[in-house]
Amino acid sequence: DTGVSQDPRHKITKRGQNVTFRCDPISEHNRLYWYRQTLGQGPEFLTYFQNEAQLEKSRLLSDRFSAERPKGSFSTLEIQRTEQGDSAMYLCASRPQVSPYNEQFFGPGTRLTVL
Amino acid sequence: AQSVTQLDSQVPVFEEAPVELRCNYSSSVSVYLFWYVQYPNQGLQLLLKYLSGSTLVKGINGFEAEFNKSQTSFHLRKPSVHISDTAEYFCAVSDRIYNQGGKLIFGQGTELSVKP
């Protein structure tokens, strides 16, 4: 399978715990994006990387959120001190830097439930 | 900045009937336009995209969309729907500025429910 993969697919945690999600993009896609999708809403942009550099962060990405892409391949998204409002689907997408259009390829998402 | 409005949150339709899902956008710069589909508990799959040229764009699964610049709309249509088309549909835009981030701005989604 050469698509975008995310792990885990589901995560249930208690309020105040830390969680970490992983995204493996399509090989040779050097741009990687994170989005958050709450129930009944469209995905909202969180941040993106070009290779290992984090080039843009949304104001939605509070200081409890941190994302990394240390070797320019897979990426992790960590949420510290989770709150119930963090419950959402977290989507990862990737694309080549040079693209005639901005089509992004999405993974299946990680659904987070904070109790 | 860009914004996307999907005018219908839910669209119920009978099998084999035609359907139109409406999308309007706002942007101060030129944009690319997309429609994505999301089946339950899955990620997003691209249905079609508009870059330039012909304003009628054909996508997968028999869907098509028409770009209307004067009305800033990009409505999605299918002449005859199937039960398997039941899903959430998202309209999205991305700016055309070279070497910018290319993030997608999504609408709120339209839930298409096809009934037998």
Side-chain angles (χ1 to χ4, degrees), chain B residues 3-23:
Chain B
S3 67
V4 178
T5 301
Q6 292 183 240
L7 300 167
D8 307 291
S9 59
Q10 294 179 322
V11 173
V13 64
F14 287 106
E15 192 174 19
E16 297 183 6
V19 70
E20 178 180 81
L21 307 184
R22 297 180 294 166
C23 171

Side-chain angles (χ1 to χ4, degrees), chain A residues 7-50:
Chain A
D7 183 71
R9 295 290 307 275
H10 304 274
K11 179 70 177 179
I12 300 174
T13 191
K14 293 182 179 179
R15 185 165 52 95
Q17 298 296 303
N18 298 344
V19 294
T20 300
F21 311 140
R22 175 177 171 130
C23 170
D24 286 88
I26 294 172
S27 297
E28 299 176 359
H29 279 191
N30 56 0
R31 285 203 178 176
L32 185 149
Y33 301 79
W34 286 99
Y35 294 84
R36 182 175 70 184
Q37 184 181 18
T38 54
L39 202 61
Q41 300 296 317
E44 296 174 291
F45 169 78
L46 291 178
T47 187
Y48 94 95
F49 292 84
Q50 182 167 299

Side-chain angles (χ1 to χ4, degrees), chain B residues 17-91:
Chain B
V19 70
E20 178 180 81
L21 307 184
R22 297 180 294 166
C23 171
N24 286 95
Y25 69 94
S26 172
S27 178
S28 56
V29 299
S30 294
V31 294
Y32 298 120
L33 294 155
F34 306 87
W35 275 98
Y36 282 86
V37 61
Q38 185 177 37
Y39 299 101
N41 297 315
Q42 294 188 27
L44 301 172
Q45 180 183 2
L46 182 69
L47 274 178
L48 49 79
K49 56 187 179 284
Y50 175 76
L51 313 176
S52 62
S54 173
T55 57
L56 185 62
V57 180
K58 293 191 182 299
I60 63 171
N61 301 340
F63 283 93
E64 62 182 31
E66 186 161 17
F67 170 62
N68 187 316
K69 187 175 182 180
S70 62
Q71 297 186 3
T72 60
S73 67
F74 191 54
H75 300 334
L76 181 71
R77 301 186 182 107
K78 187 170 183 178
S80 177
V81 295
H82 301 290
I83 298 287
S84 59
D85 292 324
T86 295
E88 190 89 18
Y89 291 79
F90 293 97
C91 181

